[in-house]
Amino acid sequence: MLTMDDIVRDGHPVLRKVAEEVKLPASQEDKTILESMLQYVKNSQDPEVAQEHGLRPGIGLAAPQINVSKRMIAVHVNDEKGNLFSYALFNPKIISHSVERSYLAAGEGCLSVDESIPGYVPRYARVTVKGTDLDGTEVKLRLKGLPAIVFQHEIDHLNGIMFYDHINKQDPYKEIPNASPIER
């Protein structure tokens, strides 16, 4: 079981590397790693399990965050209507996105970043993501709202990009043109 001890923190060089594509069909080792990532995110949202194991709650995790430089992400999040988006994907890619932007009104956080970094993180309001699930099936997801933001945040990790790289350094709360806030 993954715990906070397995998660590398900001400043670790793996977080700034571009992760390698996963050879498909995925090896048993890669599948096991990806399954454990999804399990972490689920466990971290269960108050009893999280407290017992000292897990910080998360809604997404990318393999570089556990010091595995491979293109794998796990997301477990509900949208504003309560629909669950629970995916473990190999080689996820954004294949299209909206012109409109969105951002989390409260800002973003990250399991690899211990301190709070204030500011708006501009994201695409809608994205289409393609990837391969644990069964080897190609998945195509049309996302908006919080799930779209989470997938963009995790895919950024695969490219060595941290959420705070997107924040305006001079004015962290500067209005983002053509963007709508998302409350969480």
Side-chain angles (χ1 to χ4, degrees):
M1 177 181 147
L2 292 177
T3 67
M4 286 305 292
D5 292 341
D6 297 299
I7 294 176
V8 297
R9 298 309 203 280
D10 201 9
H12 192 291
V14 74
L15 294 173
R16 290 302 186 174
K17 280 171 59 179
V18 174
E20 291 172 30
E21 288 271 318
V22 176
K23 272 195 189 59
L24 298 175
S27 67
Q28 191 50 56
E29 183 189 8
D30 286 342
K31 285 183 183 175
T32 302
I33 291 168
L34 188 50
E35 284 166 354
S36 67
M37 288 166 53
L38 184 60
Q39 197 54 55
Y40 174 92
V41 183
K42 289 177 177 177
N43 288 342
S44 79
Q45 293 178 32
D46 177 319
E48 281 176 23
V49 178
Q51 186 175 2
E52 184 186 337
H53 296 283
L55 309 180
R56 263 180 46 205
I59 49 181
L61 187 63
Q65 292 181 270
I66 56 166
N67 202 14
V68 175
S69 193
K70 291 187 176 181
R71 301 187 81 80
M72 301 190 279
I73 65 168
V75 172
H76 189 76
V77 65
N78 290 297
D79 68 8
E80 71 283 352
K81 293 188 183 102
N83 299 315
L84 178 64
F85 290 79
S86 187
Y87 290 94
L89 296 178
F90 296 108
N91 304 326
K93 265 189 201 69
I94 294 171
I95 56 170
S96 68
H97 61 77
S98 62
V99 174
E100 301 86 16
R101 305 289 217 147
S102 65
Y103 58 91
L104 289 182
E108 290 185 24
C110 179
L111 291 169
S112 292
V113 179
D114 290 329
E115 72 276 12
S116 169
I117 299 180
Y120 295 147
V121 180
R123 301 283 186 192
Y124 299 115
R126 291 181 306 285
V127 291
T128 302
V129 173
K130 213 154 104 172
T132 303
D133 70 12
L134 284 161
D135 299 325
T137 307
E138 190 171 90
V139 180
K140 189 173 169 184
L141 306 168
R142 286 193 165 74
L143 305 160
K144 63 184 181 39
L146 183 59
I149 286 176
V150 178
F151 274 85
Q152 290 173 80
H153 177 113
E154 301 312 330
I155 290 170
D156 267 358
H157 275 303
L158 305 181
N159 296 317
I161 299 166
M162 300 294 284
F163 76 91
Y164 55 75
D165 296 342
H166 296 290
I167 297 173
N168 182 319
K169 305 290 176 270
Q170 279 66 50
D171 183 359
Y173 290 106
K174 183 181 167 117
E175 196 141 315
I176 300 162
N178 199 12
S180 37
I182 292 174
E183 304 296 331
R184 178 157 181 236

